[in-house]
Structure formats: structure tokens, C-alpha cells
Amino acid sequence: MARLVVTGGMGFIGSCFVRRRLAAGKDEVVVVDKLTYAGNPNNLKEYKDDRNLTFVQGDVCDRKLMDRVTKSADALVHFAAETHVDRSILEAGDFVRTDVMGTWSVLEASRKNELDRVLIISTDEVYGEAPGRPSTELDPLMPKSPYAASKAGADRLTFSYFTTYGLPVVISRCANNFGPYQHPEKLIPLFVTNALEDTPLPVYGTGTNTRDWVHVEDHCAALDLLLKADRVEGETFNVGASAERSILQIGEAILEALAKPKSLLQRVPDRPGHVVRHAVDWTKLRDRTGWMPKTTFEIGLPETIDWYRANEWWWRPIRAGAFRDYYEVQYHGRRKPSARG
Ligand code: NAD
Ligand code: TYD
């Protein structure tokens, strides 16, 4: 049995990864999660009594804690991060702290306890725009938001731990994920839950900006492969699905699936620094591991919509809580941020 530490395992992607590993029954999993507004024990509800799961509530920035939990671990997968671009525009400090300093703390603990593999979850946002063609792993990093810049710092710090200390790291840069258990602040769950409540769907700017959409299960399948692949230490892998869609295309598809009127789409002021196009070239991952995405957007989107429809118990409490205050500031108090903040 491998002993695996998973940071951020109560979030959207981390919990999907943990569910898969526990279902396979091959690992002892220790989840370290601070339970910020984005961390949700309901994401691992069905495994709460699983004897192969240990949950430690704590901050990845806590060096002592990270030393302790990695002491007898074989490998670590680092998902924990502040993840929402809009929140990073409102207040960047937590992003620098958790995404940069938290990753440093994770790397130090992994080095001290000589882990066999450290998989760091970066993001395609580190590239900034992909104007002419999908970004490759060799493209420069030109992050455009405080979130993306913090992740870029963590991404390159990770690489430096390979070149400097020989820490066996692997870095993944996935495109936008979608699927069950995604926090309703993100585009697809926000649009679905707003539509279910007959509330307008806020479309930033022209609505023509595009993202590549990867099903969360496909992303986690790629991470399973990267965790065990041979001769990948120090390397970076893009994860994509070549399923580019614009905000408007997604909004229209959701409204059609829910038989709601198109008039619910409502233009709102654009996000500052809004990336026009994120898209990645994922041939390296395919060629080196054989990975291919399995769930197309055409199949995955209606399934995801159905999941939110069937699981109001999961999202209604989130939307009823502090999320309301965030929504008010983000969507009703929107203004252009000044240089002085
Ligand atoms: P999420 O916001 O749903 O979950 C983040 C989790 O990290 C939460 O459980 C939260 O409680 C925890 N956390 C935050 N700060 C912490 C801290 N200081 N200490 C311990 N735990 C802390 O995020 P997600 O969408 O699941 O993303 C997971 C990872 O994948 C992130 O590193 C993100 O940058 C990356 N990523 C996300 C996407 C996407 O589309 N969602 C795409 C590519 C990469
Ligand atoms: P988001 O889910 O925040 O992911 P990211 O910014 O990391 O790609 O946003 C995806 C796209 O949807 C992005 O182009 C911004 C847009 N968007 C809206 O138009 N309205 C919204 O309310 C949100 C949250 C996002």
C-alpha cells in the first residue's frame, strides 16, 4: 500500500482524485486541507469512514504540519491553492501566501522527508494568452492575473527544487476543468445554478473569450498516470481536451439544456486582464503516457448539469452562506480596480 499525501483534497479536483484513489483501494490517503470557503467535507462524504482515509485540517503554509504529515509518505499530490481569478483581482494576498509560500512549504517538507514523487498541480493559466496556437510546455510564462502569477511562481519554484536539490517533482498544467462538486463561483456551476434559480447569467465583456474544457475525471486519470510514470522527474505536462468553447456558447448550451430563456444571459463589465484564449497542446502527455480524454464536452456538460439538478443538497448551502456577500461585491459592486487598490 502506498502512502499518499493529498493537499487540497476537500476541493473540487482534489476530492475527485481522492475518491478515485480510495475506490481503487491501493493507497492510504492523508488529506491536508485548511477548509477555506472552497473546501467542503461533503465532497468526501461517502468516504468519511474509510479506514484508508485520514483527514488533517490544516494550512499547507504550516511548515511543522507539512513535515509531520509527510514523514512516512511515499508521494504527495499538491492541489491546495486559492483558485478563483476574480477573487485574486479583489484581494491578491491570500493567493501569494497559499499558492507561492504554501508550495514552498510543501516542497521543503517533501525534500526533508525524501519523498519518491511530488506531483504539483499547476495550471494552463501560467501561459497567459494562447493567441495563434495552443500553448506548449516550452512557451514563456506570461500570467495575466494575480492567481495565474502566483501559480507561475509556484510552478517555477517547483522546477528549481528539481534542478537544485534533485527533488523528484512532476508538474501538470491543465486547462479549465468541469464536472460534479465544482464550487458555484466558477463559470459552469455558476451558470447552471443561476439558471436553476432563474437568476441572470453574468457574461463578462463580449462573451467571446474561450477556454479548453477538460472533464475532472479525465484530469485525474492523467494525474494517476503522471504519479507512476517512469523518467518524468523535473518535467512539465499540459493536460487539455481540445474542446474550446466561448462563454456565450456555454451559456446558451446550459440554458437550452434547462429549457430556460436566452434572455437570462446578461452582459456585465469585463474582467480586468481577461485572458481572451487559453488552450494547450497536450501531445507530450499523450505520447509519453498514452493518456487521452474520454468524456467529450457534448456528453460531459449535460451530465454535469444533471448532477447539479440532482444534488441541490450540495450547492444550496454554499450559495446561501458567505457566497452571497461575495456575489454582491463581485457582481453588483463591480468597478474597474484603480492602480492604488
Ligand atoms: P478548489 O478551490 O475547488 O479547492 C482548493 C482546495 O484547497 C480547497 O479544499 C481549500 O480548502 C484548499 N486550500 C486552500 N488554501 C489552503 C491552504 N492554505 N492550506 C490547505 N488547504 C488549502 O480548487 P480546484 O479547482 O480543485 O483546483 C485544485 C488545483 O488545481 C489548484 O492548484 C488549481 O490551481 C489547479 N487547477 C485548477 C483548474 C480548474 O479548472 N479548476 C485547472 C487547472 C489547474
Ligand atoms: P472561470 O470559471 O472563472 O475560470 P478561469 O477564469 O480560470 O478560466 O471563468 C471561465 C470563463 O468564464 C472566463 O473567460 C471568465 C468567464 N466568466 C464569465 O463570463 N462570467 C462569470 O460570472 C464567471 C465566473 C466567468
Side-chain angles (χ1 to χ4, degrees):
M1 272 246 181
R3 202 173 136 87
L4 200 58
V5 175
V6 179
T7 72
M10 291 290 188
F12 164 48
I13 307 171
S15 67
C16 177
F17 182 80
V18 171
R19 285 192 298 274
R20 290 170 62 92
R21 303 297 293 203
L22 291 175
K26 290 189 198 137
D27 315 289
E28 271 175 41
V29 179
V30 178
V31 166
V32 180
D33 198 299
K34 189 177 172 183
L35 294 184
T36 67
Y37 79 91
N40 187 346
N42 279 338
N43 295 0
L44 290 178
K45 199 176 173 200
E46 64 203 278
Y47 287 98
K48 90 175 161 24
D49 298 322
D50 192 307
R51 61 192 170 82
N52 289 327
L53 173 67
T54 305
F55 173 55
V56 179
Q57 183 172 2
D59 191 330
V60 287
C61 299
D62 182 339
R63 286 279 304 107
K64 282 202 184 116
L65 171 74
M66 291 315 296
D67 280 354
R68 181 164 60 79
V69 294
T70 51
K71 195 142 264 160
S72 52
D74 299 304
L76 178 145
V77 187
H78 179 43
F79 292 96
E82 289 291 337
T83 61
H84 194 37
V85 172
D86 291 322
R87 289 188 194 252
S88 81
I89 293 167
L90 291 170
E91 169 57 56
D94 284 346
F95 289 74
V96 177
R97 189 179 156 279
T98 289
D99 299 8
V100 183
M101 295 302 289
T103 302
W104 167 74
S105 167
V106 161
L107 292 168
E108 274 297 307
S110 303
R111 177 163 86 98
K112 188 167 173 181
N113 288 314
E114 299 182 338
L115 267 56
D116 296 331
R117 174 107 354 143
V118 182
L119 180 50
I120 300 289
I121 313 306
S122 186
T123 165
D124 71 343
E125 307 244 356
V126 298
Y127 295 115
E129 297 286 352
R133 55 163 176 76
S135 306
T136 75
E137 290 84 353
L138 296 174
D139 282 346
L141 306 190
M142 301 287 278
K144 288 180 72 177
S145 67
Y147 162 65
S150 302
K151 292 293 291 187
D155 181 309
R156 292 299 82 195
L157 187 66
T158 300
F159 182 65
S160 81
Y161 268 63
F162 170 71
T163 53
T164 311
Y165 306 114
L167 187 70
V169 302
V170 182
I171 299 163
S172 69
R173 293 181 185 152
C174 191
N176 285 57
N177 284 217
F178 71 105
Y181 299 99
Q182 188 171 28
H183 193 281
E185 69 190 356
K186 304 290 196 312
L187 178 75
I188 290 178
L190 181 81
F191 275 16
V192 172
T193 54
N194 273 18
L196 288 170
E197 292 189 334
D198 297 305
T199 304
L201 279 46
V203 173
Y204 294 168
T206 60
T208 53
N209 296 27
T210 60
R211 301 286 183 267
D212 180 12
W213 294 92
V214 179
H215 194 275
V216 65
E217 291 281 356
D218 281 328
H219 181 191
C220 292
L223 299 177
D224 284 339
L225 292 172
L226 290 176
L227 199 54
K228 65 177 186 199
D230 289 329
R231 293 182 296 278
V232 290
E233 288 85 1
E235 297 214 38
T236 300
F237 291 86
N238 287 340
V239 187
S242 305
E244 288 180 60
R245 299 286 187 285
S246 70
I247 304 165
L248 280 174
Q249 282 174 320
I250 289 174
E252 283 166 9
I254 290 170
L255 292 173
E256 196 177 315
L258 293 173
K260 300 284 183 180
K262 295 268 157 51
S263 56
L264 278 180
L265 290 169
Q266 193 178 82
R267 297 257 166 100
V268 299
D270 208 353
R271 172 189 279 173
H274 194 174
V275 173
V276 174
R277 179 194 189 207
H278 279 308
V280 289
D281 180 327
W282 46 277
T283 48
K284 179 180 174 187
L285 177 68
R286 186 196 60 196
D287 294 349
R288 296 280 292 276
T289 67
W291 178 86
M292 293 281 286
K294 286 198 180 125
T295 303
T296 62
F297 197 70
E298 282 65 32
I299 301 281
L301 183 64
E303 279 179 4
T304 301
I305 294 171
D306 284 347
W307 187 87
Y308 282 91
R309 224 187 331 209
N311 289 285
E312 295 198 5
W313 70 272
W314 184 86
W315 59 264
R316 283 209 181 274
I318 300 174
R319 282 181 59 110
F323 185 67
R324 278 197 192 162
D325 301 332
Y326 162 73
Y327 202 90
E328 189 57 33
V329 173
Q330 174 61 22
Y331 293 99
H332 300 137
R334 280 167 75 91
R335 64 183 171 85
K336 216 173 156 41
S338 74
R340 283 198 223 139

